[in-house]
Amino acid sequence: MARILTGIQSSGRPHLGNILGAIKPAIELSKNPGNESFFFIADLHSLTTLKSGPERGEYVRAIAATWLAFGFDYKKNVFWRQSRVQEHTELAWYLNCFTPFPMLANATSFKDKSEKLADVNAGLFTYPVLQAADILLYNANIIPVGKDQKQHLEMTKDIANRFNILAGEEILVLPEPQIDERIMTIPGLDGQKMSKSYHNYIDIFLPENELKKITKKILSDSKQLEEPKDPDLDITFQLYSLVASEADVQTMRQNYLNGGYGYGHAKQALFECFMEVFAEPRRVFNYYMENTAELEGILVEGEAKAREIAQETIGKVRKVLGFSS
């Protein structure tokens, strides 16, 4: 049985890009009876950028509610908050001591911000080590990641190998990345990759009126209503093609090519599609956001399962390092 592990940072509410690019594909993997899925909320990682405790708590609840809204089976699998299993930070410290400085200095997550070192905290610099601990703590075999995370997986394997050499055996399982080349970049309101940092994302859990307003903000060119339009160059059509049925996508494509169909029509169709396709996830999401005690109980249940496995791994690591008899 393959053990699959993935996490999502609690630095904001999940947006459409997170849902289509990571959450739904991961849930599909979890439905395979040959897989055992470990999905966690990376609330410790969010501390590198987000300092507000109340905000983080709200985002943690929103992320948990999103996983459940899209059908993640928390009974069959393991679902927890990273911060509630202290072995994550303990193993991260041990692994820090096996990680060479140049490796972290070459990490993309650090290099992208290294021009302004005053803005870089130590947590951001050692971010890949905590990520390695997240993975290695649970003997994960497969890590679904985007291309931008491939380097971190290679670092994880290198760090684990260094420890295993000292141990003289494979205490830490070396994971393999699973990169789905078919997953396209989900465009945001401005056509760039949908991202919280670009402030161009679509939150499909917004109240109906707010979601409609956001949808209307999608960037489009200046072609007039009567002019034919190229659907493949339009952001609204690109988003519609990701969520609508094939028949509806082909109908909209023809409308663009025929002319007499404005971007306002397309945006209204996209909004209506959001409301139809995500009606049940929106209902479940709102239920858990209103019933926080029930949501908390689900997370606590998952944390007990995660802790049991984490303690077994950390016990082996402590023994190798001379921290236990």
Side-chain angles (χ1 to χ4, degrees):
M1 177 175 285
R3 182 169 288 181
I4 297 169
L5 181 141
T6 192
I8 184 168
Q9 265 205 55
S10 56
S11 54
R13 281 164 57 113
H15 55 66
L16 183 64
N18 301 138
I19 290 164
L20 297 181
I23 292 174
K24 287 188 71 176
I27 290 174
E28 284 306 307
L29 280 175
S30 75
K31 292 178 180 178
N32 185 328
N35 294 336
E36 184 183 18
S37 292
F38 283 59
F39 293 173
F40 70 95
I41 301 168
D43 50 347
L44 290 173
H45 283 293
S46 70
L47 189 56
T48 62
T49 55
L50 178 65
K51 310 305 180 189
S52 168
E55 277 188 74
R56 185 171 7 266
E58 180 68 14
Y59 295 153
V60 164
R61 288 187 288 276
I63 291 167
T66 301
W67 282 107
L68 297 172
F70 281 92
F72 182 60
D73 187 344
Y74 66 90
K75 291 286 187 183
K76 172 192 170 188
N77 302 292
V78 186
F79 184 46
W80 77 103
R81 286 164 293 197
Q82 177 193 35
S83 63
R84 302 301 176 93
V85 181
Q86 64 186 26
E87 286 78 10
H88 282 261
T89 49
E90 183 177 353
L91 182 58
W93 172 249
Y94 298 153
L95 298 181
N96 265 318
C97 299
F98 286 83
T99 305
F101 181 92
M103 180 188 291
L104 296 179
N106 286 325
T108 303
S109 56
F110 169 70
K111 290 173 73 175
D112 286 348
K113 298 179 175 65
S114 60
E115 291 182 5
K116 294 184 178 180
L117 286 177
D119 297 332
V120 177
N121 55 63
L124 180 66
F125 186 68
T126 60
Y127 184 104
V129 183
L130 179 56
Q131 190 174 62
D134 298 334
I135 295 166
L136 299 172
L137 201 54
Y138 299 98
N139 305 313
N141 309 110
I142 298 172
I143 314 298
V145 293
K147 294 177 183 177
D148 58 338
Q149 288 292 313
K150 186 177 179 181
Q151 183 197 38
H152 282 181
L153 262 292
E154 291 170 349
M155 292 168 68
T156 295
K157 292 174 71 173
D158 190 35
I159 294 167
N161 192 52
R162 287 167 180 264
F163 180 86
N164 287 341
I165 289 172
L166 174 70
E169 59 179 306
E170 189 179 272
I171 298 292
L172 302 176
V173 174
L174 274 60
E176 292 296 333
Q178 179 169 299
I179 301 172
D180 191 341
E181 301 291 346
R182 298 169 300 172
I183 295 177
M184 64 170 289
T185 299
I186 311 300
L189 300 174
D190 57 1
Q192 298 185 84
K193 176 183 177 181
M194 190 176 290
S195 171
K196 299 181 188 77
S197 59
Y198 296 154
H199 304 289
N200 66 351
Y201 58 89
I202 297 173
D203 181 346
I204 60 111
F205 297 119
L206 287 172
E208 186 172 342
N209 288 340
E210 291 182 39
L211 180 56
K212 189 171 187 177
K213 287 179 183 177
I214 288 292
T215 307
K216 287 181 177 180
K217 291 182 179 180
I218 298 171
L219 191 66
S220 53
D221 62 34
S222 57
K223 285 194 170 102
Q224 298 301 306
L225 172 67
E226 64 276 5
E227 292 183 82
K229 301 166 184 66
D230 187 342
D232 296 322
L233 298 180
D234 181 59
I235 302 166
T236 302
F237 179 81
Q238 291 169 16
L239 289 168
Y240 189 76
S241 67
L242 292 172
V243 295
S245 70
E246 182 60 30
D248 287 342
V249 170
Q250 291 308 315
T251 298
M252 182 180 280
R253 174 180 288 278
Q254 201 58 51
N255 287 337
Y256 270 64
L257 297 174
N258 290 342
Y261 187 80
Y263 293 120
H265 295 122
K267 291 173 185 178
Q268 177 64 25
L270 176 60
F271 164 70
E272 291 173 1
C273 186
F274 283 156
M275 294 301 296
E276 179 182 352
V277 170
F278 298 123
E280 182 61 11
R282 283 168 58 87
R283 184 194 69 78
V284 177
F285 176 87
N286 288 328
Y287 171 82
Y288 280 114
M289 292 301 285
E290 292 167 6
N291 292 272
T292 55
E294 187 173 343
L295 186 63
E296 176 70 14
I298 290 170
L299 290 170
V300 168
E301 181 181 326
E303 284 146 16
K305 291 193 285 187
R307 194 173 298 112
E308 183 177 348
I309 297 166
Q311 288 175 345
E312 183 178 344
T313 300
I314 209 73
K316 294 177 182 177
V317 172
R318 287 174 184 159
K319 188 172 182 179
V320 169
L321 298 177
F323 293 125
S324 65
S325 54

